[in-house]
Amino acid sequence: MEGGRPQSRAGDAAFLADLGIALAGAYGSDAGRIWQYRSVFDHLLRLLTTTSGPGNVAQALRMVSSAEAADRKLDRYTASLLASSQPAEEMAVAFTGKATEELRACLVHELVLRGADVTKTPGIAGWAMSPHWRHHPLGWLPLALSDVEGQPDLPSYSARGGSHSMPYGPSASRKVRGDAGAHVPSVEETTTEAAAKGIGAAVANWAEESNGRIEARVFDLAAPLEAESVPGMLLGLGLECLKGAGKKTAFSVAACPPDQAWRVLFGAASTGGAYNSGTRGAYGRLAAWQSLAALAGAADGGLAEEVEARVRECTWYGFDADTKWFERVAWDIGLAVVSPERRRLAMLAATDTD
């Protein structure tokens, strides 16, 4: 023990796992609700997953896969911890030993996010490339990062905590200058429940688990929309998030490359809002693509490569406004997307506060 907390040393990985299992077994659901129990369990898990040493990965897997502790959210969290701290080769035990299919699927894509070639990693490649898990929601994702994804911003962990970047706020991209005399075509709102859900996939956790608000809408345009008309169009759509924006309230629109949009959406999905921790890397990756696809108007059921091609054909914008709708604390997103033929505009706004 050091400072009241157990420390991982050679030979005691099994003891730490036993302690975590006993804690979960003794307190049951209370171990998840009462912060003292949750904190100790979390520290034990962090010690095992972030400390190098023989048997640590296997013991961490035994701890979270036990009947007393097993939980889908815990699987996602454990996969993120392991991928951030352990060599990919050390994770082969997860695909041969005791681990849930959920944890394995998450671990595959947490490793992909960190640049690992899971198709060539011994012990992992066979499972990752097998068709047997393609029915899993994560099975849609490719086993390598796309150009749009680039090098994702990922959290770092230690036994004492973690940290992550926050890619929100005003964009540094080239500002789009609106032309007061530019033609703004008439519009018809075509938002469906399915479209709104898809567009908002990356920020759904903000509303469900924190204090977030979301506005996701789609409009068909009677004529092609020119770039100089985008600011005026956004102001004229009657959006809740832009109510009051204009001459006396700060409002800006900037060109936003799709990789920047993906980065913002991935951050929102994977790390969460003010009062939650998001869906972690694997499901954050999926949610970011779901939002990107819905914003771009990609066909349902398309392959990842087809969605990426559609995303690249669209024109992307970020917008920001000093309205009462946006909390303007730290978590603010404004995205607008114009289709290749410039006859469809989709938007997503989200905000959260502590």
Side-chain angles (χ1 to χ4, degrees):
M1 302 286 284
E2 179 180 322
R5 289 182 178 273
Q7 303 295 304
S8 180
R9 300 186 181 89
D12 65 11
F15 168 75
L16 295 179
D18 287 340
L19 185 57
I21 293 169
L23 180 69
Y27 296 103
S29 59
D30 286 339
R33 289 199 306 265
I34 301 175
W35 73 265
Q36 292 95 333
Y37 303 149
R38 186 172 65 247
S39 177
V40 174
F41 185 94
D42 182 66
H43 185 69
L44 293 170
L45 181 58
R46 285 176 183 271
L47 278 171
L48 289 170
T49 53
T50 65
T51 305
S52 60
N56 282 3
V57 173
Q59 293 301 330
L61 293 170
R62 183 170 71 88
M63 177 175 158
V64 300
S65 300
S66 65
E68 296 85 351
D71 179 78
R72 288 175 67 88
K73 284 190 175 182
L74 183 59
D75 284 341
R76 299 175 187 183
Y77 178 43
T78 302
S80 183
L81 287 167
L82 286 170
S84 75
S85 307
Q86 303 286 353
E89 294 75 14
E90 295 289 329
M91 251 72 80
V93 65
F95 299 87
T96 57
K98 188 175 183 180
T100 66
E101 294 290 274
E102 177 74 357
L103 195 152
R104 289 170 177 166
C106 289
L107 190 52
V108 163
H109 288 288
E110 291 283 358
L111 289 169
V112 169
L113 284 165
R114 293 182 182 273
D117 187 347
V118 295
T119 66
K120 296 181 180 179
T121 304
I124 299 177
W127 191 93
M129 299 179 71
S130 171
H132 87 277
W133 72 288
R134 293 304 175 184
H135 66 280
H136 191 282
L138 297 177
W140 179 86
L141 291 167
L143 295 177
L145 290 172
S146 69
D147 290 340
V148 168
E149 292 171 303
Q151 294 182 322
D153 296 320
L154 298 166
S156 60
Y157 300 105
S158 71
R160 295 189 177 277
S163 62
H164 60 82
S165 63
M166 297 182 67
Y168 317 122
S171 170
S173 299
R174 176 178 55 83
K175 293 292 187 292
V176 175
R177 294 188 178 276
D179 182 350
H183 172 67
V184 177
S186 58
V187 303
E188 177 186 0
E189 181 162 6
T190 56
T191 309
T192 63
E193 184 177 349
K197 181 179 179 180
I199 290 171
V203 290
N205 70 89
W206 290 16
E208 294 167 356
E209 301 174 353
S210 190
N211 298 317
R213 285 195 298 273
I214 302 168
E215 185 171 13
R217 299 168 71 176
V218 181
F219 301 88
D220 282 349
L221 314 177
L225 181 67
E226 302 300 332
E228 62 269 19
S229 300
V230 171
M233 175 59 75
L234 288 172
L235 290 175
L237 290 174
L239 302 176
E240 289 295 321
C241 64
L242 295 183
K243 189 172 291 184
K247 294 181 179 179
K248 295 184 179 180
T249 303
F251 169 65
S252 65
V253 180
C256 176
D259 58 332
Q260 182 178 320
W262 187 90
R263 177 173 173 261
V264 168
L265 294 168
F266 175 71
S270 62
T271 62
Y275 279 113
N276 69 320
S277 300
T279 59
R280 310 296 175 182
Y283 277 92
R285 186 186 184 205
L286 179 63
W289 275 109
Q290 288 171 334
S291 285
L292 217 65
L295 282 164
D300 292 338
L303 299 175
E305 295 80 5
E306 296 169 341
V307 172
E308 183 180 8
R310 172 71 178 187
V311 164
R312 286 192 172 281
E313 291 171 353
C314 294
T315 307
W316 294 75
Y317 300 91
F319 64 88
D320 179 59
D322 190 12
T323 63
K324 293 181 179 180
W325 192 91
F326 285 105
E327 298 289 354
R328 302 187 70 82
V329 175
W331 301 271
D332 292 311
I333 294 173
L335 292 172
V337 186
V338 179
S339 64
E341 68 280 2
R342 296 179 287 143
R343 298 286 292 266
R344 176 185 182 273
L345 184 148
M347 59 76 58
L348 169 65
T351 188
D352 195 13
T353 186
D354 52 13

